[in-house]
PDB file of all heavy atoms in Angstrom:
ATOM      1  N   GLU A  20      12.908 -12.232  10.586  1.00 96.00           N
ATOM      2  CA  GLU A  20      12.522 -13.344  11.433  1.00 96.00           C
ATOM      3  C   GLU A  20      11.519 -14.286  10.675  1.00 96.00           C
ATOM      4  O   GLU A  20      10.537 -14.724  11.269  1.00 96.00           O
ATOM      5  CB  GLU A  20      11.946 -12.896  12.791  1.00 96.00           C
ATOM      6  CG  GLU A  20      12.952 -12.082  13.582  1.00 96.00           C
ATOM      7  CD  GLU A  20      12.349 -11.547  14.871  1.00 96.00           C
ATOM      8  OE1 GLU A  20      11.344 -12.168  15.358  1.00 96.00           O
ATOM      9  OE2 GLU A  20      12.851 -10.571  15.403  1.00 96.00           O
ATOM     10  N   ASP A  21      11.815 -14.614   9.441  1.00 97.00           N
ATOM     11  CA  ASP A  21      11.018 -15.453   8.593  1.00 97.00           C
ATOM     12  C   ASP A  21       9.687 -14.872   8.189  1.00 97.00           C
ATOM     13  O   ASP A  21       8.812 -15.616   7.639  1.00 97.00           O
ATOM     14  CB  ASP A  21      10.778 -16.856   9.255  1.00 97.00           C
ATOM     15  CG  ASP A  21      12.086 -17.673   9.303  1.00 97.00           C
ATOM     16  OD1 ASP A  21      12.959 -17.493   8.417  1.00 97.00           O
ATOM     17  OD2 ASP A  21      12.204 -18.472  10.216  1.00 97.00           O
ATOM     18  N   ILE A  22       9.464 -13.611   8.404  1.00 98.00           N
ATOM     19  CA  ILE A  22       8.223 -12.903   8.004  1.00 98.00           C
ATOM     20  C   ILE A  22       8.571 -11.985   6.828  1.00 98.00           C
ATOM     21  O   ILE A  22       9.487 -11.155   6.960  1.00 98.00           O
ATOM     22  CB  ILE A  22       7.586 -12.136   9.155  1.00 98.00           C
ATOM     23  CG1 ILE A  22       7.137 -13.121  10.253  1.00 98.00           C
ATOM     24  CG2 ILE A  22       6.425 -11.306   8.656  1.00 98.00           C
ATOM     25  CD1 ILE A  22       6.731 -12.456  11.506  1.00 98.00           C
ATOM     26  N   ALA A  23       7.913 -12.160   5.711  1.00 98.00           N
ATOM     27  CA  ALA A  23       8.186 -11.329   4.500  1.00 98.00           C
ATOM     28  C   ALA A  23       7.414 -10.028   4.606  1.00 98.00           C
ATOM     29  O   ALA A  23       6.175 -10.058   4.734  1.00 98.00           O
ATOM     30  CB  ALA A  23       7.801 -12.077   3.271  1.00 98.00           C
ATOM     31  N   VAL A  24       8.083  -8.938   4.562  1.00 98.00           N
ATOM     32  CA  VAL A  24       7.489  -7.606   4.684  1.00 98.00           C
ATOM     33  C   VAL A  24       7.582  -6.846   3.381  1.00 98.00           C
ATOM     34  O   VAL A  24       8.708  -6.569   2.900  1.00 98.00           O
ATOM     35  CB  VAL A  24       8.100  -6.803   5.827  1.00 98.00           C
ATOM     36  CG1 VAL A  24       7.417  -5.441   5.977  1.00 98.00           C
ATOM     37  CG2 VAL A  24       8.046  -7.545   7.171  1.00 98.00           C
ATOM     38  N   TYR A  25       6.441  -6.534   2.788  1.00 98.00           N
ATOM     39  CA  TYR A  25       6.384  -5.786   1.553  1.00 98.00           C
ATOM     40  C   TYR A  25       5.874  -4.375   1.887  1.00 98.00           C
ATOM     41  O   TYR A  25       4.801  -4.231   2.442  1.00 98.00           O
ATOM     42  CB  TYR A  25       5.394  -6.454   0.572  1.00 98.00           C
ATOM     43  CG  TYR A  25       5.741  -7.821   0.131  1.00 98.00           C
ATOM     44  CD1 TYR A  25       5.578  -8.915   0.977  1.00 98.00           C
ATOM     45  CD2 TYR A  25       6.214  -8.045  -1.154  1.00 98.00           C
ATOM     46  CE1 TYR A  25       5.886 -10.228   0.563  1.00 98.00           C
ATOM     47  CE2 TYR A  25       6.525  -9.360  -1.626  1.00 98.00           C
ATOM     48  CZ  TYR A  25       6.355 -10.415  -0.765  1.00 98.00           C
ATOM     49  OH  TYR A  25       6.635 -11.689  -1.144  1.00 98.00           O
ATOM     50  N   ARG A  26       6.687  -3.356   1.533  1.00 98.00           N
ATOM     51  CA  ARG A  26       6.298  -1.977   1.893  1.00 98.00           C
ATOM     52  C   ARG A  26       6.054  -1.145   0.632  1.00 98.00           C
ATOM     53  O   ARG A  26       6.589  -1.396  -0.424  1.00 98.00           O
ATOM     54  CB  ARG A  26       7.391  -1.342   2.767  1.00 98.00           C
ATOM     55  CG  ARG A  26       7.683  -2.059   4.082  1.00 98.00           C
ATOM     56  CD  ARG A  26       8.525  -1.205   4.995  1.00 98.00           C
ATOM     57  NE  ARG A  26       8.880  -1.976   6.223  1.00 98.00           N
ATOM     58  CZ  ARG A  26      10.047  -2.548   6.399  1.00 98.00           C
ATOM     59  NH1 ARG A  26      11.001  -2.490   5.446  1.00 98.00           N
ATOM     60  NH2 ARG A  26      10.332  -3.180   7.538  1.00 98.00           N
ATOM     61  N   HIS A  27       5.264  -0.107   0.853  1.00 97.00           N
ATOM     62  CA  HIS A  27       4.946   0.860  -0.223  1.00 97.00           C
ATOM     63  C   HIS A  27       4.936   2.237   0.308  1.00 97.00           C
ATOM     64  O   HIS A  27       4.758   2.463   1.535  1.00 97.00           O
ATOM     65  CB  HIS A  27       3.606   0.500  -0.864  1.00 97.00           C
ATOM     66  CG  HIS A  27       2.456   0.564   0.117  1.00 97.00           C
ATOM     67  ND1 HIS A  27       1.824   1.722   0.491  1.00 97.00           N
ATOM     68  CD2 HIS A  27       1.883  -0.415   0.855  1.00 97.00           C
ATOM     69  CE1 HIS A  27       0.872   1.450   1.372  1.00 97.00           C
ATOM     70  NE2 HIS A  27       0.870   0.149   1.621  1.00 97.00           N
ATOM     71  N   SER A  28       5.137   3.213  -0.520  1.00 94.00           N
ATOM     72  CA  SER A  28       5.112   4.625  -0.124  1.00 94.00           C
ATOM     73  C   SER A  28       3.691   5.106  -0.034  1.00 94.00           C
ATOM     74  O   SER A  28       2.761   4.516  -0.595  1.00 94.00           O
ATOM     75  CB  SER A  28       5.912   5.496  -1.140  1.00 94.00           C
ATOM     76  OG  SER A  28       5.273   5.365  -2.402  1.00 94.00           O
ATOM     77  N   LEU A  29       3.479   6.226   0.695  1.00 87.00           N
ATOM     78  CA  LEU A  29       2.186   6.902   0.795  1.00 87.00           C
ATOM     79  C   LEU A  29       2.446   8.420   0.659  1.00 87.00           C
ATOM     80  O   LEU A  29       3.537   8.882   0.956  1.00 87.00           O
ATOM     81  CB  LEU A  29       1.549   6.609   2.156  1.00 87.00           C
ATOM     82  CG  LEU A  29       0.868   5.252   2.309  1.00 87.00           C
ATOM     83  CD1 LEU A  29       0.332   5.111   3.718  1.00 87.00           C
ATOM     84  CD2 LEU A  29      -0.239   5.054   1.281  1.00 87.00           C
ATOM     85  N   PRO A  30       1.441   9.168   0.292  1.00 82.00           N
ATOM     86  CA  PRO A  30       1.554  10.627   0.253  1.00 82.00           C
ATOM     87  C   PRO A  30       1.863  11.189   1.664  1.00 82.00           C
ATOM     88  O   PRO A  30       1.614  10.472   2.673  1.00 82.00           O
ATOM     89  CB  PRO A  30       0.211  11.150  -0.238  1.00 82.00           C
ATOM     90  CG  PRO A  30      -0.419   9.951  -0.903  1.00 82.00           C
ATOM     91  CD  PRO A  30       0.094   8.731  -0.200  1.00 82.00           C
ATOM     92  N   PRO A  31       2.396  12.397   1.779  1.00 75.00           N
ATOM     93  CA  PRO A  31       2.654  12.957   3.116  1.00 75.00           C
ATOM     94  C   PRO A  31       1.430  12.940   3.988  1.00 75.00           C
ATOM     95  O   PRO A  31       0.325  13.175   3.543  1.00 75.00           O
ATOM     96  CB  PRO A  31       3.125  14.390   2.810  1.00 75.00           C
ATOM     97  CG  PRO A  31       3.609  14.307   1.381  1.00 75.00           C
ATOM     98  CD  PRO A  31       2.774  13.295   0.693  1.00 75.00           C
ATOM     99  N   GLU A  32       1.640  12.749   5.291  1.00 65.00           N
ATOM    100  CA  GLU A  32       0.547  12.695   6.263  1.00 65.00           C
ATOM    101  C   GLU A  32      -0.158  14.046   6.311  1.00 65.00           C
ATOM    102  O   GLU A  32       0.467  15.109   6.273  1.00 65.00           O
ATOM    103  CB  GLU A  32       1.087  12.321   7.612  1.00 65.00           C
ATOM    104  CG  GLU A  32       0.071  11.936   8.643  1.00 65.00           C
ATOM    105  CD  GLU A  32       0.700  11.378   9.910  1.00 65.00           C
ATOM    106  OE1 GLU A  32       1.875  11.769  10.179  1.00 65.00           O
ATOM    107  OE2 GLU A  32       0.091  10.600  10.594  1.00 65.00           O
ATOM    108  N   SER A  33      -1.490  14.026   6.440  1.00 59.00           N
ATOM    109  CA  SER A  33      -2.296  15.243   6.445  1.00 59.00           C
ATOM    110  C   SER A  33      -3.572  15.021   7.249  1.00 59.00           C
ATOM    111  O   SER A  33      -4.091  13.927   7.320  1.00 59.00           O
ATOM    112  CB  SER A  33      -2.673  15.650   4.980  1.00 59.00           C
ATOM    113  OG  SER A  33      -3.603  16.730   5.013  1.00 59.00           O
ATOM    114  N   ASN A  34      -4.020  16.117   7.874  1.00 55.00           N
ATOM    115  CA  ASN A  34      -5.297  16.069   8.601  1.00 55.00           C
ATOM    116  C   ASN A  34      -6.447  16.604   7.747  1.00 55.00           C
ATOM    117  O   ASN A  34      -7.602  16.608   8.174  1.00 55.00           O
ATOM    118  CB  ASN A  34      -5.216  16.951   9.853  1.00 55.00           C
ATOM    119  CG  ASN A  34      -4.356  16.326  10.914  1.00 55.00           C
ATOM    120  OD1 ASN A  34      -4.255  15.129  11.009  1.00 55.00           O
ATOM    121  ND2 ASN A  34      -3.649  17.188  11.701  1.00 55.00           N
ATOM    122  N   ALA A  35      -6.212  17.017   6.501  1.00 57.00           N
ATOM    123  CA  ALA A  35      -7.209  17.561   5.623  1.00 57.00           C
ATOM    124  C   ALA A  35      -7.970  16.417   4.914  1.00 57.00           C
ATOM    125  O   ALA A  35      -7.434  15.318   4.649  1.00 57.00           O
ATOM    126  CB  ALA A  35      -6.578  18.469   4.560  1.00 57.00           C
ATOM    127  N   GLY A  36      -9.240  16.703   4.547  1.00 58.00           N
ATOM    128  CA  GLY A  36     -10.071  15.661   3.894  1.00 58.00           C
ATOM    129  C   GLY A  36      -9.472  15.159   2.612  1.00 58.00           C
ATOM    130  O   GLY A  36      -9.427  13.928   2.393  1.00 58.00           O
ATOM    131  N   LEU A  37      -9.010  16.040   1.723  1.00 69.00           N
ATOM    132  CA  LEU A  37      -8.413  15.584   0.459  1.00 69.00           C
ATOM    133  C   LEU A  37      -7.140  14.776   0.704  1.00 69.00           C
ATOM    134  O   LEU A  37      -6.791  13.908  -0.082  1.00 69.00           O
ATOM    135  CB  LEU A  37      -8.130  16.786  -0.428  1.00 69.00           C
ATOM    136  CG  LEU A  37      -9.377  17.448  -1.044  1.00 69.00           C
ATOM    137  CD1 LEU A  37      -8.960  18.654  -1.866  1.00 69.00           C
ATOM    138  CD2 LEU A  37     -10.144  16.463  -1.932  1.00 69.00           C
ATOM    139  N   GLY A  38      -6.400  15.123   1.749  1.00 67.00           N
ATOM    140  CA  GLY A  38      -5.201  14.378   2.070  1.00 67.00           C
ATOM    141  C   GLY A  38      -5.521  12.924   2.431  1.00 67.00           C
ATOM    142  O   GLY A  38      -4.818  12.003   2.016  1.00 67.00           O
ATOM    143  N   PHE A  39      -6.635  12.683   3.173  1.00 70.00           N
ATOM    144  CA  PHE A  39      -7.049  11.337   3.466  1.00 70.00           C
ATOM    145  C   PHE A  39      -7.429  10.570   2.158  1.00 70.00           C
ATOM    146  O   PHE A  39      -7.083   9.422   2.016  1.00 70.00           O
ATOM    147  CB  PHE A  39      -8.247  11.337   4.400  1.00 70.00           C
ATOM    148  CG  PHE A  39      -7.896  11.695   5.826  1.00 70.00           C
ATOM    149  CD1 PHE A  39      -8.557  12.731   6.453  1.00 70.00           C
ATOM    150  CD2 PHE A  39      -6.944  11.007   6.538  1.00 70.00           C
ATOM    151  CE1 PHE A  39      -8.216  13.060   7.764  1.00 70.00           C
ATOM    152  CE2 PHE A  39      -6.612  11.347   7.835  1.00 70.00           C
ATOM    153  CZ  PHE A  39      -7.241  12.361   8.462  1.00 70.00           C
ATOM    154  N   VAL A  40      -8.120  11.268   1.266  1.00 80.00           N
ATOM    155  CA  VAL A  40      -8.555  10.629  -0.008  1.00 80.00           C
ATOM    156  C   VAL A  40      -7.314  10.211  -0.802  1.00 80.00           C
ATOM    157  O   VAL A  40      -7.281   9.069  -1.289  1.00 80.00           O
ATOM    158  CB  VAL A  40      -9.467  11.553  -0.807  1.00 80.00           C
ATOM    159  CG1 VAL A  40      -9.701  10.996  -2.202  1.00 80.00           C
ATOM    160  CG2 VAL A  40     -10.779  11.846  -0.069  1.00 80.00           C
ATOM    161  N   ARG A  41      -6.342  11.076  -0.914  1.00 83.00           N
ATOM    162  CA  ARG A  41      -5.142  10.728  -1.635  1.00 83.00           C
ATOM    163  C   ARG A  41      -4.430   9.539  -0.985  1.00 83.00           C
ATOM    164  O   ARG A  41      -3.983   8.651  -1.707  1.00 83.00           O
ATOM    165  CB  ARG A  41      -4.199  11.951  -1.680  1.00 83.00           C
ATOM    166  CG  ARG A  41      -4.604  13.009  -2.668  1.00 83.00           C
ATOM    167  CD  ARG A  41      -3.493  14.008  -2.903  1.00 83.00           C
ATOM    168  NE  ARG A  41      -3.077  14.693  -1.699  1.00 83.00           N
ATOM    169  CZ  ARG A  41      -3.629  15.868  -1.301  1.00 83.00           C
ATOM    170  NH1 ARG A  41      -4.551  16.413  -2.026  1.00 83.00           N
ATOM    171  NH2 ARG A  41      -3.208  16.412  -0.132  1.00 83.00           N
ATOM    172  N   GLU A  42      -4.351   9.575   0.335  1.00 85.00           N
ATOM    173  CA  GLU A  42      -3.655   8.483   1.042  1.00 85.00           C
ATOM    174  C   GLU A  42      -4.407   7.158   0.786  1.00 85.00           C
ATOM    175  O   GLU A  42      -3.747   6.128   0.463  1.00 85.00           O
ATOM    176  CB  GLU A  42      -3.620   8.772   2.525  1.00 85.00           C
ATOM    177  CG  GLU A  42      -3.017   7.640   3.338  1.00 85.00           C
ATOM    178  CD  GLU A  42      -3.138   7.824   4.857  1.00 85.00           C
ATOM    179  OE1 GLU A  42      -3.234   8.996   5.262  1.00 85.00           O
ATOM    180  OE2 GLU A  42      -3.140   6.848   5.598  1.00 85.00           O
ATOM    181  N   TYR A  43      -5.731   7.130   0.936  1.00 87.00           N
ATOM    182  CA  TYR A  43      -6.461   5.900   0.767  1.00 87.00           C
ATOM    183  C   TYR A  43      -6.413   5.357  -0.642  1.00 87.00           C
ATOM    184  O   TYR A  43      -6.270   4.111  -0.842  1.00 87.00           O
ATOM    185  CB  TYR A  43      -7.928   6.117   1.192  1.00 87.00           C
ATOM    186  CG  TYR A  43      -8.102   6.491   2.672  1.00 87.00           C
ATOM    187  CD1 TYR A  43      -9.271   7.092   3.095  1.00 87.00           C
ATOM    188  CD2 TYR A  43      -7.127   6.183   3.600  1.00 87.00           C
ATOM    189  CE1 TYR A  43      -9.434   7.437   4.444  1.00 87.00           C
ATOM    190  CE2 TYR A  43      -7.275   6.500   4.905  1.00 87.00           C
ATOM    191  CZ  TYR A  43      -8.433   7.116   5.365  1.00 87.00           C
ATOM    192  OH  TYR A  43      -8.591   7.446   6.685  1.00 87.00           O
ATOM    193  N   LEU A  44      -6.532   6.229  -1.628  1.00 90.00           N
ATOM    194  CA  LEU A  44      -6.415   5.764  -3.018  1.00 90.00           C
ATOM    195  C   LEU A  44      -5.039   5.180  -3.331  1.00 90.00           C
ATOM    196  O   LEU A  44      -4.944   4.115  -3.938  1.00 90.00           O
ATOM    197  CB  LEU A  44      -6.766   6.919  -3.967  1.00 90.00           C
ATOM    198  CG  LEU A  44      -8.226   7.368  -4.012  1.00 90.00           C
ATOM    199  CD1 LEU A  44      -8.408   8.545  -4.920  1.00 90.00           C
ATOM    200  CD2 LEU A  44      -9.150   6.220  -4.391  1.00 90.00           C
ATOM    201  N   ALA A  45      -4.002   5.885  -2.869  1.00 92.00           N
ATOM    202  CA  ALA A  45      -2.645   5.381  -3.073  1.00 92.00           C
ATOM    203  C   ALA A  45      -2.451   4.063  -2.355  1.00 92.00           C
ATOM    204  O   ALA A  45      -1.829   3.122  -2.926  1.00 92.00           O
ATOM    205  CB  ALA A  45      -1.630   6.396  -2.604  1.00 92.00           C
ATOM    206  N   ALA A  46      -2.955   3.937  -1.128  1.00 94.00           N
ATOM    207  CA  ALA A  46      -2.780   2.707  -0.381  1.00 94.00           C
ATOM    208  C   ALA A  46      -3.491   1.566  -1.048  1.00 94.00           C
ATOM    209  O   ALA A  46      -2.943   0.433  -1.166  1.00 94.00           O
ATOM    210  CB  ALA A  46      -3.317   2.902   1.041  1.00 94.00           C
ATOM    211  N   LEU A  47      -4.705   1.770  -1.510  1.00 96.00           N
ATOM    212  CA  LEU A  47      -5.435   0.696  -2.192  1.00 96.00           C
ATOM    213  C   LEU A  47      -4.713   0.199  -3.441  1.00 96.00           C
ATOM    214  O   LEU A  47      -4.654  -1.019  -3.701  1.00 96.00           O
ATOM    215  CB  LEU A  47      -6.867   1.193  -2.578  1.00 96.00           C
ATOM    216  CG  LEU A  47      -7.875   1.251  -1.391  1.00 96.00           C
ATOM    217  CD1 LEU A  47      -9.177   1.888  -1.895  1.00 96.00           C
ATOM    218  CD2 LEU A  47      -8.182  -0.149  -0.902  1.00 96.00           C
ATOM    219  N   TRP A  48      -4.168   1.127  -4.189  1.00 96.00           N
ATOM    220  CA  TRP A  48      -3.424   0.754  -5.404  1.00 96.00           C
ATOM    221  C   TRP A  48      -2.227  -0.128  -5.035  1.00 96.00           C
ATOM    222  O   TRP A  48      -2.055  -1.190  -5.559  1.00 96.00           O
ATOM    223  CB  TRP A  48      -2.972   1.985  -6.148  1.00 96.00           C
ATOM    224  CG  TRP A  48      -1.835   1.712  -7.098  1.00 96.00           C
ATOM    225  CD1 TRP A  48      -0.563   2.145  -7.009  1.00 96.00           C
ATOM    226  CD2 TRP A  48      -1.898   0.928  -8.313  1.00 96.00           C
ATOM    227  NE1 TRP A  48       0.208   1.693  -8.040  1.00 96.00           N
ATOM    228  CE2 TRP A  48      -0.591   0.947  -8.868  1.00 96.00           C
ATOM    229  CE3 TRP A  48      -2.931   0.227  -8.921  1.00 96.00           C
ATOM    230  CZ2 TRP A  48      -0.286   0.269 -10.044  1.00 96.00           C
ATOM    231  CZ3 TRP A  48      -2.607  -0.447 -10.139  1.00 96.00           C
ATOM    232  CH2 TRP A  48      -1.304  -0.419 -10.668  1.00 96.00           C
ATOM    233  N   HIS A  49      -1.438   0.337  -4.053  1.00 97.00           N
ATOM    234  CA  HIS A  49      -0.234  -0.419  -3.671  1.00 97.00           C
ATOM    235  C   HIS A  49      -0.592  -1.745  -3.009  1.00 97.00           C
ATOM    236  O   HIS A  49       0.055  -2.775  -3.283  1.00 97.00           O
ATOM    237  CB  HIS A  49       0.655   0.438  -2.768  1.00 97.00           C
ATOM    238  CG  HIS A  49       1.293   1.602  -3.428  1.00 97.00           C
ATOM    239  ND1 HIS A  49       2.136   1.429  -4.514  1.00 97.00           N
ATOM    240  CD2 HIS A  49       1.222   2.933  -3.196  1.00 97.00           C
ATOM    241  CE1 HIS A  49       2.595   2.627  -4.920  1.00 97.00           C
ATOM    242  NE2 HIS A  49       2.054   3.535  -4.140  1.00 97.00           N
ATOM    243  N   GLU A  50      -1.585  -1.740  -2.149  1.00 98.00           N
ATOM    244  CA  GLU A  50      -1.990  -2.978  -1.471  1.00 98.00           C
ATOM    245  C   GLU A  50      -2.500  -4.035  -2.459  1.00 98.00           C
ATOM    246  O   GLU A  50      -2.168  -5.226  -2.302  1.00 98.00           O
ATOM    247  CB  GLU A  50      -3.062  -2.657  -0.404  1.00 98.00           C
ATOM    248  CG  GLU A  50      -2.503  -1.899   0.798  1.00 98.00           C
ATOM    249  CD  GLU A  50      -3.620  -1.188   1.583  1.00 98.00           C
ATOM    250  OE1 GLU A  50      -4.783  -1.280   1.217  1.00 98.00           O
ATOM    251  OE2 GLU A  50      -3.269  -0.492   2.552  1.00 98.00           O
ATOM    252  N   THR A  51      -3.217  -3.553  -3.429  1.00 98.00           N
ATOM    253  CA  THR A  51      -3.759  -4.509  -4.443  1.00 98.00           C
ATOM    254  C   THR A  51      -2.623  -5.087  -5.290  1.00 98.00           C
ATOM    255  O   THR A  51      -2.531  -6.305  -5.479  1.00 98.00           O
ATOM    256  CB  THR A  51      -4.770  -3.791  -5.353  1.00 98.00           C
ATOM    257  OG1 THR A  51      -5.845  -3.308  -4.554  1.00 98.00           O
ATOM    258  CG2 THR A  51      -5.285  -4.753  -6.428  1.00 98.00           C
ATOM    259  N   ARG A  52      -1.720  -4.251  -5.810  1.00 98.00           N
ATOM    260  CA  ARG A  52      -0.668  -4.800  -6.645  1.00 98.00           C
ATOM    261  C   ARG A  52       0.294  -5.686  -5.865  1.00 98.00           C
ATOM    262  O   ARG A  52       0.712  -6.730  -6.352  1.00 98.00           O
ATOM    263  CB  ARG A  52       0.106  -3.667  -7.336  1.00 98.00           C
ATOM    264  CG  ARG A  52       0.958  -2.791  -6.415  1.00 98.00           C
ATOM    265  CD  ARG A  52       1.822  -1.797  -7.206  1.00 98.00           C
ATOM    266  NE  ARG A  52       2.613  -1.006  -6.280  1.00 98.00           N
ATOM    267  CZ  ARG A  52       3.768  -1.421  -5.769  1.00 98.00           C
ATOM    268  NH1 ARG A  52       4.269  -2.621  -6.078  1.00 98.00           N
ATOM    269  NH2 ARG A  52       4.463  -0.673  -4.923  1.00 98.00           N
ATOM    270  N   LEU A  53       0.533  -5.311  -4.584  1.00 98.00           N
ATOM    271  CA  LEU A  53       1.408  -6.130  -3.764  1.00 98.00           C
ATOM    272  C   LEU A  53       0.753  -7.452  -3.361  1.00 98.00           C
ATOM    273  O   LEU A  53       1.406  -8.480  -3.215  1.00 98.00           O
ATOM    274  CB  LEU A  53       1.880  -5.340  -2.512  1.00 98.00           C
ATOM    275  CG  LEU A  53       2.889  -4.248  -2.787  1.00 98.00           C
ATOM    276  CD1 LEU A  53       3.159  -3.417  -1.524  1.00 98.00           C
ATOM    277  CD2 LEU A  53       4.213  -4.824  -3.314  1.00 98.00           C
ATOM    278  N   ALA A  54      -0.563  -7.392  -3.164  1.00 98.00           N
ATOM    279  CA  ALA A  54      -1.293  -8.640  -2.802  1.00 98.00           C
ATOM    280  C   ALA A  54      -1.157  -9.677  -3.908  1.00 98.00           C
ATOM    281  O   ALA A  54      -0.915 -10.872  -3.669  1.00 98.00           O
ATOM    282  CB  ALA A  54      -2.771  -8.342  -2.520  1.00 98.00           C
ATOM    283  N   TRP A  55      -1.277  -9.224  -5.168  1.00 98.00           N
ATOM    284  CA  TRP A  55      -1.126 -10.123  -6.273  1.00 98.00           C
ATOM    285  C   TRP A  55       0.349 -10.625  -6.367  1.00 98.00           C
ATOM    286  O   TRP A  55       0.607 -11.786  -6.700  1.00 98.00           O
ATOM    287  CB  TRP A  55      -1.536  -9.488  -7.575  1.00 98.00           C
ATOM    288  CG  TRP A  55      -3.001  -9.378  -7.728  1.00 98.00           C
ATOM    289  CD1 TRP A  55      -3.800  -8.267  -7.510  1.00 98.00           C
ATOM    290  CD2 TRP A  55      -3.908 -10.424  -8.019  1.00 98.00           C
ATOM    291  NE1 TRP A  55      -5.121  -8.544  -7.683  1.00 98.00           N
ATOM    292  CE2 TRP A  55      -5.256  -9.900  -8.010  1.00 98.00           C
ATOM    293  CE3 TRP A  55      -3.768 -11.802  -8.334  1.00 98.00           C
ATOM    294  CZ2 TRP A  55      -6.365 -10.648  -8.298  1.00 98.00           C
ATOM    295  CZ3 TRP A  55      -4.881 -12.545  -8.631  1.00 98.00           C
ATOM    296  CH2 TRP A  55      -6.143 -11.982  -8.606  1.00 98.00           C
ATOM    297  N   ARG A  56       1.310  -9.777  -6.001  1.00 98.00           N
ATOM    298  CA  ARG A  56       2.674 -10.205  -6.008  1.00 98.00           C
ATOM    299  C   ARG A  56       2.924 -11.261  -4.906  1.00 98.00           C
ATOM    300  O   ARG A  56       3.582 -12.263  -5.149  1.00 98.00           O
ATOM    301  CB  ARG A  56       3.573  -8.985  -5.766  1.00 98.00           C
ATOM    302  CG  ARG A  56       5.044  -9.351  -5.654  1.00 98.00           C
ATOM    303  CD  ARG A  56       5.899  -8.103  -5.333  1.00 98.00           C
ATOM    304  NE  ARG A  56       7.235  -8.530  -4.943  1.00 98.00           N
ATOM    305  CZ  ARG A  56       8.198  -7.658  -4.483  1.00 98.00           C
ATOM    306  NH1 ARG A  56       7.921  -6.347  -4.414  1.00 98.00           N
ATOM    307  NH2 ARG A  56       9.383  -8.124  -4.132  1.00 98.00           N
ATOM    308  N   VAL A  57       2.379 -11.023  -3.745  1.00 98.00           N
ATOM    309  CA  VAL A  57       2.483 -11.987  -2.668  1.00 98.00           C
ATOM    310  C   VAL A  57       1.875 -13.323  -3.023  1.00 98.00           C
ATOM    311  O   VAL A  57       2.447 -14.419  -2.779  1.00 98.00           O
ATOM    312  CB  VAL A  57       1.905 -11.479  -1.341  1.00 98.00           C
ATOM    313  CG1 VAL A  57       1.914 -12.525  -0.248  1.00 98.00           C
ATOM    314  CG2 VAL A  57       2.597 -10.201  -0.863  1.00 98.00           C
ATOM    315  N   ARG A  58       0.738 -13.261  -3.707  1.00 98.00           N
ATOM    316  CA  ARG A  58       0.114 -14.527  -4.128  1.00 98.00           C
ATOM    317  C   ARG A  58       1.004 -15.309  -5.049  1.00 98.00           C
ATOM    318  O   ARG A  58       1.134 -16.533  -4.946  1.00 98.00           O
ATOM    319  CB  ARG A  58      -1.237 -14.262  -4.785  1.00 98.00           C
ATOM    320  CG  ARG A  58      -1.907 -15.530  -5.250  1.00 98.00           C
ATOM    321  CD  ARG A  58      -3.331 -15.319  -5.762  1.00 98.00           C
ATOM    322  NE  ARG A  58      -3.812 -16.584  -6.356  1.00 98.00           N
ATOM    323  CZ  ARG A  58      -4.267 -17.656  -5.687  1.00 98.00           C
ATOM    324  NH1 ARG A  58      -4.288 -17.583  -4.373  1.00 98.00           N
ATOM    325  NH2 ARG A  58      -4.679 -18.717  -6.317  1.00 98.00           N
ATOM    326  N   ARG A  59       1.682 -14.614  -5.979  1.00 97.00           N
ATOM    327  CA  ARG A  59       2.560 -15.301  -6.919  1.00 97.00           C
ATOM    328  C   ARG A  59       3.793 -15.831  -6.189  1.00 97.00           C
ATOM    329  O   ARG A  59       4.241 -16.952  -6.475  1.00 97.00           O
ATOM    330  CB  ARG A  59       3.048 -14.319  -8.019  1.00 97.00           C
ATOM    331  CG  ARG A  59       2.004 -13.890  -9.022  1.00 97.00           C
ATOM    332  CD  ARG A  59       2.630 -13.215 -10.195  1.00 97.00           C
ATOM    333  NE  ARG A  59       3.462 -12.104  -9.834  1.00 97.00           N
ATOM    334  CZ  ARG A  59       3.072 -10.861  -9.700  1.00 97.00           C
ATOM    335  NH1 ARG A  59       1.784 -10.538  -9.887  1.00 97.00           N
ATOM    336  NH2 ARG A  59       3.949  -9.881  -9.363  1.00 97.00           N
ATOM    337  N   GLU A  60       4.376 -15.078  -5.280  1.00 97.00           N
ATOM    338  CA  GLU A  60       5.633 -15.448  -4.666  1.00 97.00           C
ATOM    339  C   GLU A  60       5.519 -16.363  -3.486  1.00 97.00           C
ATOM    340  O   GLU A  60       6.384 -17.225  -3.253  1.00 97.00           O
ATOM    341  CB  GLU A  60       6.374 -14.184  -4.255  1.00 97.00           C
ATOM    342  CG  GLU A  60       6.756 -13.238  -5.440  1.00 97.00           C
ATOM    343  CD  GLU A  60       7.498 -11.999  -5.006  1.00 97.00           C
ATOM    344  OE1 GLU A  60       7.613 -11.767  -3.767  1.00 97.00           O
ATOM    345  OE2 GLU A  60       7.959 -11.273  -5.883  1.00 97.00           O
TER     346      GLU A  60
END
């Protein structure tokens, strides 16, 4: 519907502390690289 959706993978969902850290680090990496892509496109 005219909205561009850029998606990225994340580690499996977890309730453990290290699981959250892995998720957040992976998300920051993907969000950053995709943000630069969106800016270009």
Side-chain angles (χ1 to χ4, degrees):
E20 299 177 23
D21 289 331
I22 295 169
V24 181
Y25 297 75
R26 300 193 185 99
H27 59 83
S28 60
L29 283 177
E32 194 172 26
S33 171
N34 289 328
L37 287 178
F39 287 125
V40 172
R41 285 194 297 270
E42 176 187 336
Y43 295 159
L44 290 177
L47 282 173
W48 160 250
H49 290 301
E50 290 160 1
T51 299
R52 69 173 181 82
L53 287 173
W55 286 102
R56 176 183 167 187
V57 175
R58 179 172 171 79
R59 290 193 307 270
E60 296 179 354

